[in-house]
Amino acid sequence: MLAALGFATIAVLLLVTMTKRASVLVALILLPVLAALIGGFAGDLGELILGGLSKVAPTGIMIAFAVLYFSLMVDAGLFDPLIRGLLRVARGDPLRITVATAVLTLCVALDGDGASTFLITVSALLPVYQRLGMNPLVLSGVVCLGAGVMNMVPWGGPTVRAMAALKLDSSEVFTPVLPAMGVGVAWVLVASYLLGRRERNRLAALSPQGPDAGKGERDDRETAAATTVTATTEPEPSRHAAPAKADGEHQAVRAPGDGPGAVRVPPLPRTWLNVFNLLLTVTLVVCLIQEVMPLPVLFVLGFAVAALVNHPSWEQQQALLDKHAKNVVLVTTMIFAAGVLTGILSGTRMLDEMAEALVSVVPDSFGSHMPVAVAVTSMPLSLVFTPDAYYFGVLPVLAETAQGFGTDPAEVARAAILGQMTTGFPLSPLTASTFILVGMSGVSLGEHQRFIFRWAFATTLVLTAAALLTGAFPL
């Protein structure tokens, strides 16, 4: 009964979010609560929810301050040189922007951490998409594809879990699928090209008709984008700046409280602030990769330092918080709502029962083909199982079953990482980082899933075919 209740909860959750019958926030909270009540866990409901919230609390704290940090840096113009460079290379072409998105994501995602990948790439690229009028679903979708393939790295969560669950090392799990991963990277670039071409055609259809209309529209977008970027890099005029003199020269800025005859000092140049922001961000990223401190601590400290230097007065800091409070609330509430879902599904042992039920329906005759079956189903099952539930609950049983038919358990592990919480994790409502991606991109989870699911599933199929051809596991 618990297995059926768990599958029904996930199915209804996906249905109501993809059809927009309810907001993701409401569905993530009320549906698992209803399932717990039906399952007879009313007395344990408070403890179950609190347990789930406790597990996602560090992620929620990290995201709150990470959103504030990168929002501050966007306002300060830190990413403007990158935006100008992309616009210069892409020449206002949505296709080139989309391919550049894939390349940047593949590079940033090398650290194996989805949350930081989404924070960095979306913060840097969303202004470009907005200025060119591109669909933000293309941004979230391409980032999803790139981050999914790169999450196969041996220091990424899924591969680490697969190795730990079956007591294998990276040479047995990751090294044999490395050629397939290379093919997957190439496929992501091809997919980004196809998505970019479709987006370019969509924008061209919205432009005025005529032989030169498309070119003129693109030139207008380039000019507007370049003008906008240039404007954002200029320092804001001080609230205490004195009016310009008649001869065109500017008076020095007067400090608050200064009277006539007081010494006036010119404002500090913006260049040193840009250099400081760049060094601070690079230091923060390096510390994230090296795991010098827990991620929430790094972003708390990073934001505090950045706010103090960029907005030294209380009024400026308060204005900063007021400006970006909506984005912080939207993303963090979604993460805590996901904690309610995972807390109830895990605490009631629904996930465990779902894993056992899934394994029980696998026919014995399928044992010799287990790796292929695991690979093909791995990506869709990311929407049903958390990484811990799958890799520590489902995978060991599947591997043991396959071993009874003479199949190496390592082959089953290789098949699993081709989709389960790799290509599938940026679409799953069971991972907090998914809500970072959709929240910062400004799209809903249902829209994101409908837009990119078939592309993500195709990525797993491409990886599976490449793994078969390169001998990672047999047919």
Side-chain angles (χ1 to χ4, degrees):
M1 175 183 174
L2 286 179
L5 192 58
F7 281 117
T9 301
I10 297 297
V12 174
L13 173 65
L14 295 176
L15 178 64
V16 299
T17 55
M18 295 184 73
T19 58
K20 294 186 177 181
R21 297 298 178 89
S23 70
V24 178
L25 179 68
V26 172
L28 285 172
I29 296 174
L30 294 185
L31 287 177
V33 168
L34 179 61
L37 294 176
I38 295 175
F41 296 98
D44 301 323
L45 193 58
E47 183 179 349
L48 295 173
I49 294 177
L50 186 60
L53 292 176
S54 300
K55 289 184 178 180
V56 300
T59 301
I61 295 170
M62 178 196 72
I63 298 311
F65 285 92
V67 169
L68 288 173
Y69 179 87
F70 284 108
S71 297
L72 185 157
M73 291 302 168
V74 170
D75 292 346
L78 176 65
F79 299 108
D80 286 347
L82 173 63
I83 296 171
R84 284 196 298 269
L86 287 174
L87 291 173
R88 189 181 303 112
V89 173
R91 297 197 295 272
D93 185 359
L95 189 153
R96 297 189 181 192
I97 291 293
T98 308
V99 174
T101 301
V103 173
L104 180 62
T105 303
L106 291 169
C107 295
V108 176
L110 275 170
D111 66 349
D113 182 70
S116 61
T117 297
F118 299 152
L119 287 167
I120 294 172
T121 54
V122 176
S123 296
L125 295 173
L126 183 59
V128 178
Y129 279 70
Q130 291 174 333
R131 289 165 188 171
L132 296 182
M134 295 177 63
N135 188 350
L137 285 171
V138 176
L139 171 60
S140 64
V142 173
V143 172
C144 164
L145 296 180
V149 171
M150 296 307 294
N151 208 37
M152 292 171 57
V153 293
W155 50 88
T159 305
V160 168
R161 287 179 174 88
M163 292 187 295
L166 301 184
K167 298 179 175 59
L168 302 170
D169 57 43
S170 61
S171 63
E172 296 175 285
V173 177
F174 176 73
T175 304
V177 299
L178 188 56
M181 182 178 175
V183 175
V185 169
W187 160 253
V188 169
L189 296 176
V190 171
S192 66
Y193 174 86
L194 296 175
L195 289 169
R197 186 176 64 178
R198 188 173 69 180
E199 183 65 8
R200 181 171 65 182
N201 293 337
R202 184 188 72 85
L203 292 176
L206 298 177
S207 64
Q209 299 298 320
D212 298 325
K215 180 178 182 298
E217 179 71 15
R218 187 177 66 216
D219 292 341
D220 290 343
R221 289 201 306 267
E222 290 182 40
T223 304
T227 303
T228 306
V229 174
T230 303
T232 58
T233 59
E234 295 178 357
E236 297 182 0
S238 171
R239 294 186 295 111
H240 305 289
K245 294 181 180 180
D247 59 0
E249 297 179 358
H250 292 275
Q251 296 180 359
V253 177
R254 180 188 303 182
D258 287 348
V263 177
R264 297 178 181 178
V265 294
L268 292 174
R270 183 83 189 174
T271 303
W272 77 268
L273 197 55
N274 291 335
V275 172
F276 172 82
N277 288 336
L278 177 60
L279 292 177
L280 179 61
T281 302
V282 170
T283 302
L284 180 60
V285 172
V286 171
C287 291
L288 289 173
I289 297 174
Q290 297 295 326
E291 297 183 355
V292 176
M293 292 183 182
L295 297 187
V297 176
L298 288 173
F299 275 110
V300 167
L301 296 177
F303 171 71
V305 173
L308 180 63
V309 175
N310 286 268
H311 303 278
S313 71
W314 180 88
E315 292 83 3
Q316 292 174 330
Q317 293 168 8
Q318 194 65 26
L320 173 69
L321 296 176
D322 290 341
K323 179 179 180 181
H324 299 293
K326 178 181 177 181
N327 292 333
V328 173
V329 170
L330 288 175
V331 178
T332 54
T333 52
M334 206 72 70
I335 290 173
F336 284 111
V340 175
L341 173 67
T342 56
I344 290 177
L345 292 182
S346 300
T348 58
R349 296 187 59 80
M350 286 187 198
L351 286 177
D352 296 334
E353 295 292 332
M354 291 163 65
E356 293 179 7
L358 179 66
V359 173
S360 66
V361 300
V362 177
D364 293 340
S365 59
F366 227 61
S368 58
H369 305 289
M370 188 71 73
V372 176
V374 169
V376 173
T377 60
S378 59
M379 182 267 158
L381 288 179
S382 297
L383 305 178
V384 180
F385 293 104
T386 64
D388 289 335
Y390 185 88
Y391 283 103
F392 295 117
V394 177
L395 183 62
V397 180
L398 293 176
E400 184 176 352
T401 303
Q403 190 173 21
F405 290 89
T407 301
D408 188 352
E411 295 176 352
V412 179
R414 295 168 201 158
I417 66 173
L418 299 184
Q420 218 294 327
M421 287 302 170
T422 50
T423 60
F425 93 92
L427 295 91
S428 176
L430 303 177
T431 56
S433 56
T434 300
F435 297 102
I436 302 173
L437 175 61
V438 298
M440 295 192 68
S441 300
V443 300
S444 71
L445 177 62
E447 291 173 335
H448 173 66
Q449 290 174 328
R450 288 196 303 272
F451 180 83
I452 205 64
F453 179 88
R454 60 184 179 274
W455 293 92
F457 187 54
T459 304
T460 292
L461 296 180
V462 169
L463 289 169
T464 302
L468 288 170
L469 292 174
T470 56
F473 50 79
L475 180 62

